[in-house]
Amino acid sequence: MSNHGNEAVTNEAVTRAQEQAAAEGRAQGLEIGWTVFSYLLAGMAAYGLIGWLVGRAVHVALLFPFGMLLGLGISIGYIIYRFGRQPGVGRPVVDRPRKEITGDR
């Protein structure tokens, strides 16, 4: 008697598990990418708005672009602080629960 049938089922299950792990890794990468992108936009918008408001109050138009650049710099610093370090260096590994994705896949 041979175990070729069980072997095929096992190989198929392993392949399916590997494909699912790869898909979850890609989804996590996309989540991080969109988070970084939103930090960059939000920093520029928030500090650009602050610079624009202060610039209008003191009649200095250059505060708007300086505010945007300051917001971009602060955002890049925060992104490096949050995502640029390895998990084992100076902070514990925190495994956040994954958000459930609803809708069509």
Side-chain angles (χ1 to χ4, degrees):
M1 211 171 199
S2 72
N3 288 332
H4 292 295
N6 291 338
E7 202 173 288
V9 171
T10 304
N11 288 339
E12 184 178 315
V14 168
T15 302
R16 199 173 320 132
Q18 289 173 344
E19 289 174 355
Q20 184 178 3
E24 288 176 3
R26 285 189 301 271
Q28 184 178 13
L30 283 174
E31 180 181 336
I32 291 171
W34 281 110
T35 302
V36 167
F37 181 65
S38 66
Y39 285 162
L40 292 173
L41 287 181
M44 287 179 65
Y47 282 91
L49 177 66
I50 292 169
W52 180 74
L53 289 172
V54 171
R56 281 185 57 105
V58 297
H59 303 290
V60 178
L62 279 178
L63 289 181
F64 172 65
F66 285 142
M68 289 185 73
L69 290 174
L70 177 67
L72 183 63
I74 290 172
S75 297
I76 290 172
Y78 182 69
I79 290 166
I80 291 171
Y81 173 76
R82 181 164 178 198
F83 297 108
R85 296 181 294 161
Q86 294 179 355
V89 180
R91 66 178 174 158
V93 176
V94 178
D95 191 21
R96 296 184 305 167
R98 297 281 301 156
K99 293 181 265 184
E100 182 64 30
I101 300 173
T102 58
D104 294 345
R105 291 185 184 212

